[in-house]
Amino acid sequence: MEELAGRLAALDPDAGAAVQVIAYFDRLVEGRAGLEALVRGAAVLSGCPARLVDEARRVRLRVEADGRRRDETGPMRPEWPSAPLIPGGAPAVWLERTGPRTVVDAMVLERTASAARHVLDRTRGRAPVHGPADDPALLETVLDPTAAEAARLHAARGLGLDPDGQARAIALRGGPQKQPSLSLASGERALVQPVPGPELPHEGRVGVGPAVPVLELPRSWSAARTALRFTAGGSDQDPGPRVVHSEGLGTLALLAAVVAPGTEPPPDVRALDQAAAASPWLLPTLYAVSTSPSRRTAATELNVHHSTLQDRLAHAESLLGWPVRTPHGQLRLQLALAARLLTRNQL
């Protein structure tokens, strides 16, 4: 297909681009991509925002030209290029662009509509589910809070989940992809496990959502993503837990809303990073002190003498500008370390 596209491009650039569009969507279909991936492909290939709107199945997706999902409920403009999911049906796929409709636009719309129709039929109840239980589109549906309950139940059955049982959502970063999962544009992967179920992944970073009824999996997924932001790689420059359960965060989870993706690091986080740049031992030392029941225990974990730890803490206090050995100072340190993880883990 790529060779054919190259030959056609030499003769007719529009025809070559159209063949590349066909190949791109064929790869998405073969990989059983979900609706968001299809709309993202339409937006990126056309170079303008794209929408998928199926009111009957309560689906509204919008992706910017740079690949970021940014849903809007505003009306579609009649001059935008569009295509129906079925011949003769109402327009459902839209490209937010005025002006003449190009050959590439027409092909993007046709391929997006065709692929989206099959995904919707497979995951939202218009057709029986056939195929493996690791269908990424089914995972996308069961985690989507905007999907109708009937669609989520249909997707859950396709994934082999008991509609009357409980399950949990898990957010992952890094590690080998040994378990069926849904890869997201933001870099993390999603998977769903029945409860009780298999063991958690052993590699990478893992955020675990609470066990909930199957219909509440979108809530578990949101909590799992928050938990993932509190995970760390475990190195000297990224100390912290590799696996975080959302239920263990408690009130600390509220900090994730304050240190939201895209916000500037708080002053205490900037102080930590500046101090760590001057003293490579600082972050693992402060993490050990903030998570150990005593300083002697922390010294043992760090494999240093107690007096050495005291000297390190005194030096850390001079670099940070606040005490870390008082109750208030230790709380401030714990919050700063947590905020640092949230700042580094942008989803």
PDB file of all heavy atoms in Angstrom, residues 226-243:
ATOM      1  N   THR A 226      -5.952   9.344  38.901  1.00  0.00           N
ATOM      2  CA  THR A 226      -5.437  10.203  39.967  1.00  0.00           C
ATOM      3  C   THR A 226      -4.346   9.478  40.738  1.00  0.00           C
ATOM      4  O   THR A 226      -3.289  10.046  41.038  1.00  0.00           O
ATOM      5  CB  THR A 226      -6.571  10.611  40.917  1.00  0.00           C
ATOM      6  OG1 THR A 226      -7.533  11.393  40.197  1.00  0.00           O
ATOM      7  CG2 THR A 226      -6.041  11.427  42.082  1.00  0.00           C
ATOM      8  N   ALA A 227      -4.586   8.206  41.063  1.00  0.00           N
ATOM      9  CA  ALA A 227      -3.582   7.422  41.789  1.00  0.00           C
ATOM     10  C   ALA A 227      -2.289   7.304  40.987  1.00  0.00           C
ATOM     11  O   ALA A 227      -1.185   7.355  41.550  1.00  0.00           O
ATOM     12  CB  ALA A 227      -4.137   6.036  42.114  1.00  0.00           C
ATOM     13  N   LEU A 228      -2.407   7.158  39.668  1.00  0.00           N
ATOM     14  CA  LEU A 228      -1.213   7.034  38.830  1.00  0.00           C
ATOM     15  C   LEU A 228      -0.330   8.268  38.942  1.00  0.00           C
ATOM     16  O   LEU A 228       0.901   8.175  38.883  1.00  0.00           O
ATOM     17  CB  LEU A 228      -1.629   6.812  37.368  1.00  0.00           C
ATOM     18  CG  LEU A 228      -0.501   6.623  36.360  1.00  0.00           C
ATOM     19  CD1 LEU A 228       0.293   5.358  36.655  1.00  0.00           C
ATOM     20  CD2 LEU A 228      -1.043   6.586  34.939  1.00  0.00           C
ATOM     21  N   ARG A 229      -0.931   9.433  39.139  1.00  0.00           N
ATOM     22  CA  ARG A 229      -0.149  10.667  39.245  1.00  0.00           C
ATOM     23  C   ARG A 229       0.686  10.702  40.536  1.00  0.00           C
ATOM     24  O   ARG A 229       1.631  11.485  40.635  1.00  0.00           O
ATOM     25  CB  ARG A 229      -1.066  11.880  39.179  1.00  0.00           C
ATOM     26  CG  ARG A 229      -1.769  12.056  37.834  1.00  0.00           C
ATOM     27  CD  ARG A 229      -2.523  13.370  37.787  1.00  0.00           C
ATOM     28  NE  ARG A 229      -1.609  14.491  37.931  1.00  0.00           N
ATOM     29  CZ  ARG A 229      -1.966  15.689  38.395  1.00  0.00           C
ATOM     30  NH1 ARG A 229      -3.219  15.895  38.794  1.00  0.00           N
ATOM     31  NH2 ARG A 229      -1.088  16.664  38.494  1.00  0.00           N
ATOM     32  N   PHE A 230       0.331   9.879  41.514  1.00  0.00           N
ATOM     33  CA  PHE A 230       1.091   9.836  42.770  1.00  0.00           C
ATOM     34  C   PHE A 230       2.173   8.756  42.737  1.00  0.00           C
ATOM     35  O   PHE A 230       2.845   8.535  43.744  1.00  0.00           O
ATOM     36  CB  PHE A 230       0.154   9.574  43.944  1.00  0.00           C
ATOM     37  CG  PHE A 230      -0.657  10.775  44.370  1.00  0.00           C
ATOM     38  CD1 PHE A 230      -1.942  10.954  43.893  1.00  0.00           C
ATOM     39  CD2 PHE A 230      -0.137  11.722  45.245  1.00  0.00           C
ATOM     40  CE1 PHE A 230      -2.704  12.061  44.274  1.00  0.00           C
ATOM     41  CE2 PHE A 230      -0.879  12.822  45.637  1.00  0.00           C
ATOM     42  CZ  PHE A 230      -2.168  12.996  45.145  1.00  0.00           C
ATOM     43  N   THR A 231       2.354   8.068  41.610  1.00  0.00           N
ATOM     44  CA  THR A 231       3.375   7.026  41.526  1.00  0.00           C
ATOM     45  C   THR A 231       4.714   7.624  41.117  1.00  0.00           C
ATOM     46  O   THR A 231       4.798   8.750  40.621  1.00  0.00           O
ATOM     47  CB  THR A 231       2.982   5.947  40.505  1.00  0.00           C
ATOM     48  OG1 THR A 231       2.860   6.540  39.208  1.00  0.00           O
ATOM     49  CG2 THR A 231       1.671   5.293  40.903  1.00  0.00           C
ATOM     50  N   ALA A 232       5.768   6.841  41.314  1.00  0.00           N
ATOM     51  CA  ALA A 232       7.126   7.283  40.987  1.00  0.00           C
ATOM     52  C   ALA A 232       7.894   6.128  40.368  1.00  0.00           C
ATOM     53  O   ALA A 232       7.478   4.966  40.428  1.00  0.00           O
ATOM     54  CB  ALA A 232       7.833   7.792  42.235  1.00  0.00           C
ATOM     55  N   GLY A 233       9.034   6.477  39.788  1.00  0.00           N
ATOM     56  CA  GLY A 233       9.867   5.454  39.170  1.00  0.00           C
ATOM     57  C   GLY A 233      10.742   4.703  40.150  1.00  0.00           C
ATOM     58  O   GLY A 233      11.248   3.624  39.850  1.00  0.00           O
ATOM     59  N   GLY A 234      10.948   5.282  41.337  1.00  0.00           N
ATOM     60  CA  GLY A 234      11.748   4.605  42.349  1.00  0.00           C
ATOM     61  C   GLY A 234      13.239   4.895  42.283  1.00  0.00           C
ATOM     62  O   GLY A 234      14.010   4.329  43.050  1.00  0.00           O
ATOM     63  N   SER A 235      13.667   5.816  41.414  1.00  0.00           N
ATOM     64  CA  SER A 235      15.091   6.146  41.320  1.00  0.00           C
ATOM     65  C   SER A 235      15.424   7.247  42.326  1.00  0.00           C
ATOM     66  O   SER A 235      14.546   7.818  42.970  1.00  0.00           O
ATOM     67  CB  SER A 235      15.429   6.618  39.907  1.00  0.00           C
ATOM     68  OG  SER A 235      14.765   7.844  39.631  1.00  0.00           O
ATOM     69  N   ASP A 236      16.713   7.569  42.434  1.00  0.00           N
ATOM     70  CA  ASP A 236      17.131   8.626  43.360  1.00  0.00           C
ATOM     71  C   ASP A 236      16.518   9.973  42.991  1.00  0.00           C
ATOM     72  O   ASP A 236      16.264  10.798  43.865  1.00  0.00           O
ATOM     73  CB  ASP A 236      18.663   8.747  43.372  1.00  0.00           C
ATOM     74  CG  ASP A 236      19.316   7.629  44.180  1.00  0.00           C
ATOM     75  OD1 ASP A 236      18.570   6.861  44.839  1.00  0.00           O
ATOM     76  OD2 ASP A 236      20.552   7.513  44.134  1.00  0.00           O
ATOM     77  N   GLN A 237      16.311  10.214  41.700  1.00  0.00           N
ATOM     78  CA  GLN A 237      15.719  11.477  41.271  1.00  0.00           C
ATOM     79  C   GLN A 237      14.196  11.401  41.155  1.00  0.00           C
ATOM     80  O   GLN A 237      13.552  12.408  40.892  1.00  0.00           O
ATOM     81  CB  GLN A 237      16.321  11.901  39.927  1.00  0.00           C
ATOM     82  CG  GLN A 237      17.799  12.238  40.010  1.00  0.00           C
ATOM     83  CD  GLN A 237      18.093  13.274  41.099  1.00  0.00           C
ATOM     84  OE1 GLN A 237      17.480  14.342  41.136  1.00  0.00           O
ATOM     85  NE2 GLN A 237      19.025  12.948  42.003  1.00  0.00           N
ATOM     86  N   ASP A 238      13.642  10.217  41.372  1.00  0.00           N
ATOM     87  CA  ASP A 238      12.184  10.057  41.318  1.00  0.00           C
ATOM     88  C   ASP A 238      11.752   9.048  42.387  1.00  0.00           C
ATOM     89  O   ASP A 238      11.186   8.012  42.092  1.00  0.00           O
ATOM     90  CB  ASP A 238      11.766   9.572  39.928  1.00  0.00           C
ATOM     91  CG  ASP A 238      10.254   9.621  39.727  1.00  0.00           C
ATOM     92  OD1 ASP A 238       9.582  10.404  40.428  1.00  0.00           O
ATOM     93  OD2 ASP A 238       9.742   8.877  38.862  1.00  0.00           O
ATOM     94  N   PRO A 239      12.030   9.367  43.663  1.00  0.00           N
ATOM     95  CA  PRO A 239      11.671   8.418  44.723  1.00  0.00           C
ATOM     96  C   PRO A 239      10.174   8.403  44.983  1.00  0.00           C
ATOM     97  O   PRO A 239       9.489   9.414  44.817  1.00  0.00           O
ATOM     98  CB  PRO A 239      12.437   8.968  45.932  1.00  0.00           C
ATOM     99  CG  PRO A 239      12.515  10.446  45.682  1.00  0.00           C
ATOM    100  CD  PRO A 239      12.667  10.587  44.193  1.00  0.00           C
ATOM    101  N   GLY A 240       9.684   7.259  45.392  1.00  0.00           N
ATOM    102  CA  GLY A 240       8.262   7.148  45.700  1.00  0.00           C
ATOM    103  C   GLY A 240       7.735   5.777  45.334  1.00  0.00           C
ATOM    104  O   GLY A 240       8.462   4.937  44.788  1.00  0.00           O
ATOM    105  N   PRO A 241       6.456   5.524  45.596  1.00  0.00           N
ATOM    106  CA  PRO A 241       5.877   4.205  45.348  1.00  0.00           C
ATOM    107  C   PRO A 241       5.609   3.973  43.864  1.00  0.00           C
ATOM    108  O   PRO A 241       5.216   4.887  43.137  1.00  0.00           O
ATOM    109  CB  PRO A 241       4.564   4.246  46.134  1.00  0.00           C
ATOM    110  CG  PRO A 241       4.187   5.699  46.135  1.00  0.00           C
ATOM    111  CD  PRO A 241       5.493   6.452  46.213  1.00  0.00           C
ATOM    112  N   ARG A 242       5.811   2.752  43.415  1.00  0.00           N
ATOM    113  CA  ARG A 242       5.529   2.395  42.020  1.00  0.00           C
ATOM    114  C   ARG A 242       4.051   2.084  41.826  1.00  0.00           C
ATOM    115  O   ARG A 242       3.498   2.297  40.739  1.00  0.00           O
ATOM    116  CB  ARG A 242       6.375   1.184  41.609  1.00  0.00           C
ATOM    117  CG  ARG A 242       6.272   0.832  40.133  1.00  0.00           C
ATOM    118  CD  ARG A 242       7.039  -0.434  39.828  1.00  0.00           C
ATOM    119  NE  ARG A 242       6.509  -1.568  40.556  1.00  0.00           N
ATOM    120  CZ  ARG A 242       5.451  -2.279  40.184  1.00  0.00           C
ATOM    121  NH1 ARG A 242       4.790  -1.952  39.094  1.00  0.00           N
ATOM    122  NH2 ARG A 242       5.034  -3.309  40.896  1.00  0.00           N
ATOM    123  N   VAL A 243       3.422   1.565  42.869  1.00  0.00           N
ATOM    124  CA  VAL A 243       1.997   1.208  42.810  1.00  0.00           C
ATOM    125  C   VAL A 243       1.256   2.022  43.863  1.00  0.00           C
ATOM    126  O   VAL A 243       1.664   2.054  45.025  1.00  0.00           O
ATOM    127  CB  VAL A 243       1.771  -0.296  43.056  1.00  0.00           C
ATOM    128  CG1 VAL A 243       0.276  -0.627  43.030  1.00  0.00           C
ATOM    129  CG2 VAL A 243       2.519  -1.132  42.024  1.00  0.00           C
TER     130      VAL A 243
END
